[in-house]
Each structure stands twice: as C-alpha cells, then as structure tokens.
C-alpha cells in the first residue's frame, strides 16, 4: 500500500523552503505545512482518535483544509471533507453516515471536537481506507464511498508524471470541499513541489479569475466545462494568457467549440479531458485534445495504467467497436465500496470479457469504442445527471421535494439551459406553499441540486398503467425552459434597442436580468426580499449575473458585493447607489465583514429556517 500522506511528507521534506500554498491571507512553505499538520495529528491523538476513525474536516478550500487533511492521515484516521457552506441538514447527514468520530474546524484554528458514534465505524479498519466521499444517492440520501490510499496515490503520481508537473508550476485551487476531485485539485500540485494558489473569494467572476490567473502566473488548473463557458462569455476582451500550459477538464461533456475558444484565450495551453466516477478512484480515462478539435463532444480517450474499460450490452457481453453500450470500468485499485449502516457494500459486478472474469464498476454511462481505440461518451442510461461537475441523482431531489406536506406527487427532470443543465420540478400540490417548499428543499440539498423552477399542476398526467407520463411531463418542462429563454432573448433585444435612450428604472432592468439568468421563480418576483438563490440561482449562475449587471449598468464591482446584497431589493439599492457614485470607491471594513457573513449564510442555502 502507498499511503497518500507518505507522498505529501516526502514532498515536504524534499521542497522544504519552497512555497507550498499561497493565498491573500496566508503563505506557507512545505516545511510549515508539515509542521502544522503534525500539530493536527498530535491534537487528534490527544483526543483519543485512532487508526480507522473517520474525521470530518469542516471548512472551505485553502491552506487550513490542506493542513487538516495531511494531519488526519498522519494520525492514521480517515478523511471526510465537509464544506461548511453546505446546508446544515446535509452536513449532519454526512457526518452521521461517515460516521465521523471527530471533526476538525478549519475556520476555528483546527479546533477538534469529538462526536458520539456507534459501533458501525469498526468496519473501517483497513489500512488502505483513505477518505469518504459523497455522491448523490438514488434512495434520497447521499451515498458514502470509501476511497483508497493506493488508488489515490497512483492517480496523483500518474498525473504528476504524465504531464511533467513540478516546482515550476503554479496551480489555481478552484475546487470546493465535499467532492473527491478536491484531492487531485489540491494534492497533485503538492506531491510535485508546485505552488497551490488560492483565490481571494469563494467564487470569482470571469474578469476576476482571468486577472487572478495573470497576477499569480498560473500554469495549470482543473475545472468543469460549464465554468469555462461562464468565464469565456462573461470576460471582457483582453490579451491572451500565454502562461497557462495545462487545463484539466472533467465532470461534464467537453465540446469542441469550447476548446477552440479556450485555446484562443490560452494559446499555449494543452487541454486534457478526464473521465471516471468516484467509485473507481478519480479519473480512469484521459484524452489530450488536439489543437484543432473535432466538432461536438470530445472523446475521453484511453485508460490510465492499471485500468481497463469495457463497453457491454444489456446482457453484459462485449459490444463491437462503434456500437453503443454501458461503460464498465475495471480499475486495479478502485474504491472500497459504499458505507451503508456501518457495513461496506460493493458496487462492482462480475463480467466476462474475452473468456476472462473481470470485476468492474457499471458506470451508467453509455459509450462506444472509437476506431482509434479511445472511448466516446454518448449519455446516460438512467436518471443521473451532472451539473457543474456534480453528480446528481434526480431521485434524491424528488425525495426532498416529496417530503414536504404540501406535495402530493412530483416529477423531476433536467433540461438544457443557457450554460448548463437546470432541474425542473413539476409538482402536484399547493402552489401557494411554494415559498415554504423552497425553504424546505433549500435546507436539505446543495445549491446545485435545487430546482430552477417549480411548475404546479392540479394533477400529474398518468399513463393507462397508473404511472406518471414522463414524456408528457418532460415536454412541460422543456416548453417552460424554451419559453423562458425566448422571453429573456426578447428582453435583451429590447434592452439593446433602448440603450442610449432614457434608461428604464433599475428595478425593471434588474428583474429582466434575474429572469434571464436565474429563471424559475425570478419571473414572478412578488417577494422582493427573496435572494438570488431562492429563485433558482446557483453558485455558477451568480457569476453570470455579475457579468450581466456590470454590462447592463456600465459599472465595475467585485463579485462579493452580490453576496453582501443577496436579495432583489438589496441589489436594486446597491445598483442605484453605484450608478450615482464614483465607481472606484473602496468598500468599508464593516461592509466587507458583513459581506463575509452574508456570503456564508447564502452559500449554506439558508440553513433550515424552521429547524
């Protein structure tokens, strides 16, 4: 077994005085990283945490989280990342499902707090158990997946070696906690002697992130395609950024048009498409996208070493090249399975390939083998979707909605929108309870899982066998999104025609942009105190909102102002003030402090108000 902390300690001892992590508030050498991690490990040992215990790490991306992760591993315990911006109910569910023996609070000086847990945690006694990651679950609860030290170590070493990552590199740290991809985002640079550069805000606007890349001389980063689209659409025209040499895309289909536009902005950049589910330990496929990519969705290429993928038909027999089937991945060191009620449950199946028995993970992704031997992704075989790289089981969203007493039945589906997919809920229930329903769901799910719109019907249409008519309801959702896009386009055209004439009231212009960007309930803003996330906005679309507001009102302001002024009325007042005041006025210290508090509250998706 190769423990991940062994790789990190080796890097800390080799690159002692080099800068490991840098952020606007902290700079840390590799030796300092190791010393602080030892402090966390000693603190855990003093509290009685032992090998095999699960430790929840509460915080945001940044140096404290990295220190905590290394410290937990050095103590022999198992890491469970929990973003403190998640709703309180979901955080509690994750900590209980772990089950976490202790928590380390990164925002409070790595304060350690013990938690009462049952005997079920004793199942996690294998030295290769490294971390617990969560994905959306079809049962209505997030699924806990036990990750592998050996699998993670091999991936980190492969990525570092395959792409020549070393002390000359400066990686942008853009991935939030609570997802397994955090490990490659933060740790691939650190085992390589590179510098991990942390942005000064949780979410950066398009122009801000490009300035960050330039100012910090960033050479590489990971991101999802939808975020790349937002950057390209929102950024003002500027000089190409030649310093970036590697962009690792993952989590969503990567389109050739995006790659072409990306290479214009980053002319020296090699675009790499990664693919692989959490169950198989991070990515198991990679594809170096050529300078002139083919149109449409890019392939995910070939397997990593010690991994094989097979395209199988409904009888789990090998499909001929070019024929579509379900992708099954056989990784030498996959995860250890799902942790369910204190026991490990395997997600793997036995299949026979060319007369050989193979243990593989059925991904649920449809694909086919290309003539060159690479793999092409064609879609899903089930109701699982990805938004902003986050794996979402629509059944989990449905379960959260169905649990509200005003709902008799609900159908949930995903539809393509302006930059990414959106979730639409068609509800049979009391439309007057929409506000309470939104609060209920918002307190239980991540913001990326929240429906963009709730459409209410007296009764969901049924098929003769009594099941809901999924085709008819999907069409209801599709028409809603299409009509919403048409209205937004008409509003944009009208705004362009009126530009230069007497300006319309700020509220009218702001409402048009909210409708365009957030959709959902933004079209009927009866509650002007509702915030952007209440009406279908997400952590991705607030970046779009920021760009649209700056363009519409001809002002420049940092993205954080939209978290400080989260409600419609607050943004109306803010925009009224900035269009009448000098545009380079610095924010007060009190405003910045208040903004941090508001941003934390908003990003937690308003912890259950009635809890």
């Amino acid at each position: 077994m190769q423990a991940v902390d062994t790789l990190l300690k080796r890097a800390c001892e080799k690159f002692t005085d080099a800068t490991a992590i840098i952020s606007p508030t902290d700079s840390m050498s590799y030796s300092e990283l190791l010393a602080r991690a030892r402090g966390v490990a000693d603190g855990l040992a003093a509290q009685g945490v032992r090998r095999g215990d699960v430790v929840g790490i509460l915080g945001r991306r940044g140096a404290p989280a990295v220190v905590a992760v290394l410290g937990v591993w050095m103590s022999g315990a198992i890491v469970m990342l929990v973003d403190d911006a998640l709703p309180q109910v979901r955080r509690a569910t994750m900590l209980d499902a772990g089950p976490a023996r202790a928590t380390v609070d990164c925002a409070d000086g790595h304060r350690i707090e013990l938690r009462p847990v049952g005997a079920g945690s004793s199942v996690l006694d294998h030295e290769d158990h490294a971390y617990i990651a969560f994905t959306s679950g079809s049962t209505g609860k997030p699924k806990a997946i036990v990750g592998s030290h050996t699998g993670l170590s091999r991936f980190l070493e492969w990525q570092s070696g395959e792409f020549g990552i070393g002390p000359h590199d400066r990686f942008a740290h853009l991935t939030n906690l609570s997802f397994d991809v955090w490990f490659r985002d933060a740790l691939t640079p650190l085992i390589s002697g590179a510098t991990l550069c942390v942005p000064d805000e949780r979410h950066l606007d398009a122009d801000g992130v490009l300035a960050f890349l330039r100012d910090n001389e960033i050479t590489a980063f990971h991101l999802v395609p939808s975020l790349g689209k937002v950057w390209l659409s929102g950024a003002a025209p500027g000089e190409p950024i030649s310093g970036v040499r590697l962009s690792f895309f993952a989590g969503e289909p990567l389109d050739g048009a995006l790659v072409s536009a990306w290479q214009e902005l980053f002319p020296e950049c090699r675009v790499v498409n990664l693919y692989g589910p959490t169950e198989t330990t991070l990515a198991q496929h990679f594809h170096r996208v050529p300078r002139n990519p083919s149109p449409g969705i890019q392939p995910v290429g070939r397997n990593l070493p010690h991994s094989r993928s097979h395209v199988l038909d409904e009888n789990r027999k090998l499909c001929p090249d070019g024929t579509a089937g379900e992708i099954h991945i056989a990784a030498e060191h996959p995860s250890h399975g799902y942790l369910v009620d204190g026991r490990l449950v395997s997600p793997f199946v036995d299949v026979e390939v060319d007369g050989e028995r193979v243990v593989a993970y059925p991904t649920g992704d449809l694909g086919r083998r290309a003539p060159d031997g690479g793999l092409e992704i064609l879609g899903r075989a089930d109701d699982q979707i990805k938004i902003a790289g986050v794996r979402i089981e629509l059944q989990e969203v449905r379960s959260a909605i169905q649990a509200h007493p005003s709902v008799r039945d609900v159908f949930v589906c995903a539809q393509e929108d302006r930059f990414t997919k959106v979730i639409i809920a068609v509800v049979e229930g009391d439309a007057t309870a929409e506000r309470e329903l939104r609060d209920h769901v918002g307190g239980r799910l991540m913001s990326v899982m929240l429906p963009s719109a709730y459409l209410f019907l007296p009764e969901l249409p049924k098929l003769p066998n009594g099941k809901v008519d999924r085709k008819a309801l999907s069409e209801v959702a599709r028409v809603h999104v299409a009509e919403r896009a048409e209205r937004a386009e008409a509003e944009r055209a009208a705004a362009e025609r009126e530009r230069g004439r007497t300006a319309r009231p700020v509220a009218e212009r702001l409402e048009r942009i909210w409708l365009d960007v957030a959709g959902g309930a933004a079209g009927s803003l009866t509650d002007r105190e509702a915030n952007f996330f209440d009406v279908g906005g997400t952590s991705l679309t607030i970046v779009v909102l920021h760009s649209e507001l700056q363009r519409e009102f001809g002002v420049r302001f940092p993205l954080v102002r939209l978290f400080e002024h989260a409600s419609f009325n607050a943004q109306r007042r803010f925009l009224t003030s900035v269009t009448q005041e000098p545009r380079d006025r610095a924010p007060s210290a009190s405003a910045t402090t208040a903004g941090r508090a508001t941003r934390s509250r908003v990003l937690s998706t308003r912890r259950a108000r009635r809890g």
Side-chain angles (χ1 to χ4, degrees), residues 92-131:
T93 300
M94 293 167 66
L95 291 170
D96 289 341
R101 176 72 179 88
T103 58
V104 178
D105 191 338
C106 296
D108 192 12
H110 294 116
R111 178 174 57 84
I112 297 169
E113 182 176 336
L114 294 179
R115 302 179 73 251
V117 296
S121 60
S122 61
V123 72
L124 299 177
D125 56 1
H126 195 289
E127 63 179 2
D128 194 50
H129 294 161
Y131 60 90

Side-chain angles (χ1 to χ4, degrees), residues 587-600:
S588 67
S590 60
T592 301
T593 301
R596 291 195 187 103
T598 301
R599 185 166 70 258
S600 178

Side-chain angles (χ1 to χ4, degrees), residues 97-98 120 123 139 142-146 337-346:
V123 72
T139 62
K143 290 189 293 190
I145 301 174
V146 181
Y338 301 130
L339 185 61
V340 181
D341 297 329
R343 62 190 180 92
L344 283 171
V345 177
S346 174

Side-chain angles (χ1 to χ4, degrees), residues 332-606:
E332 188 172 314
H333 295 283
S335 73
H336 291 277
Y338 301 130
L339 185 61
V340 181
D341 297 329
R343 62 190 180 92
L344 283 171
V345 177
S346 174
F348 306 104
V349 297
D350 289 339
V351 297
E352 187 174 304
V353 180
D354 294 332
E356 179 186 358
R357 176 182 171 274
V358 175
V359 178
Y361 174 68
T363 65
D365 290 324
L366 298 176
R368 65 187 173 201
R369 189 70 64 182
D372 65 357
L375 193 65
E376 298 175 345
I377 307 297
L378 303 176
R380 288 291 300 179
D382 55 21
D383 282 342
Q384 189 184 102
I385 63 169
K386 279 195 173 183
I387 297 179
V390 179
R391 227 166 87 183
I392 299 170
E393 291 280 2
L394 291 178
Q395 180 57 40
E396 184 175 359
V397 180
R398 183 181 184 277
S399 295
I401 297 170
Q402 188 75 59
H404 193 267
S406 71
V407 176
R408 295 187 296 275
D409 199 359
V410 60
F411 170 80
V412 179
C413 68
Q415 297 289 328
E416 290 290 340
D417 202 8
R418 190 173 170 192
F419 294 103
T420 186
K421 289 186 175 72
V422 294
I423 297 173
I424 306 295
V426 187
V427 179
E428 180 182 314
D430 182 5
T432 64
E434 181 177 351
R435 173 73 276 143
E436 291 79 6
L437 175 59
R438 283 183 175 274
D439 289 345
H440 167 86
V441 177
R444 287 159 175 77
L445 300 178
M446 296 181 290
S447 63
V448 73
M449 299 173 73
L450 299 178
S452 169
Y454 290 84
L455 310 179
F456 289 85
L457 296 178
E459 183 178 356
L460 299 189
K462 302 289 197 304
L463 295 170
N465 62 7
K467 295 182 179 180
V468 296
D469 190 336
R470 297 170 60 88
K471 184 176 181 180
L473 289 168
S474 295
E475 181 63 13
V476 169
R478 188 198 66 77
V479 169
H480 169 80
V481 173
E483 289 178 345
R484 190 171 72 188
E486 290 176 3
R487 290 195 301 270
E489 182 59 37
E491 288 282 352
R492 280 196 295 269
E496 287 296 327
R497 289 194 297 272
E498 292 186 14
R499 202 176 297 279
R501 306 177 188 175
T502 303
R504 291 183 294 170
V506 168
E508 189 176 333
R509 297 156 73 189
L510 178 60
E511 183 171 357
R512 174 186 65 79
I513 294 173
W514 271 43
L515 171 60
D516 183 13
V517 175
S524 55
L525 280 166
T526 55
D527 179 8
R528 293 301 175 106
E529 293 303 324
N531 74 50
F532 182 68
F533 295 90
D534 285 331
V535 297
T538 68
S539 56
L540 179 68
T541 54
I542 197 171
V543 180
V544 182
L545 176 68
H546 178 254
S547 298
E548 294 290 333
L549 292 179
Q550 290 189 134
R551 184 178 295 113
E552 171 68 22
F553 292 94
V555 295
R556 303 287 298 169
F557 59 88
L559 177 61
V560 67
R561 298 295 169 265
L562 297 185
F563 290 97
E564 295 171 354
H565 309 282
S567 73
F568 181 90
N569 275 341
Q571 289 186 14
R572 175 183 56 77
R573 290 190 292 268
F574 168 70
L575 290 167
T576 299
S577 69
V578 296
T579 54
Q580 297 173 350
E581 297 178 3
R583 294 174 188 171
D584 57 353
R585 193 175 79 171
S588 67
S590 60
T592 301
T593 301
R596 291 195 187 103
T598 301
R599 185 166 70 258
S600 178
R601 184 171 65 252
V602 170
L603 286 174
S604 68
T605 324
R606 307 155 312 280

Side-chain angles (χ1 to χ4, degrees), residues 186-260:
L187 303 187
T188 293
L190 292 176
I191 70 160
S192 312
T195 299
L196 193 66
C197 301
V198 185
D200 60 351
E201 294 295 345
R202 184 174 172 79
H203 300 284
L204 288 169
D205 63 285
D207 289 325
V209 76
L210 298 184
F212 168 77
L213 298 178
R214 286 191 179 94
D215 295 345
N216 288 272
E217 299 179 324
I218 297 299
T219 62
F221 48 84
H222 299 82
L223 77 164
V224 295
S226 55
L227 183 58
K229 291 178 185 178
V230 169
W231 289 3
L232 292 175
S233 68
E239 290 296 318
I241 302 176
S242 59
V244 175
R245 72 180 191 90
L246 289 168
S247 293
F248 296 98
F249 284 91
E252 296 171 338
L254 178 62
D255 189 84
L258 172 61
V259 175
S260 297

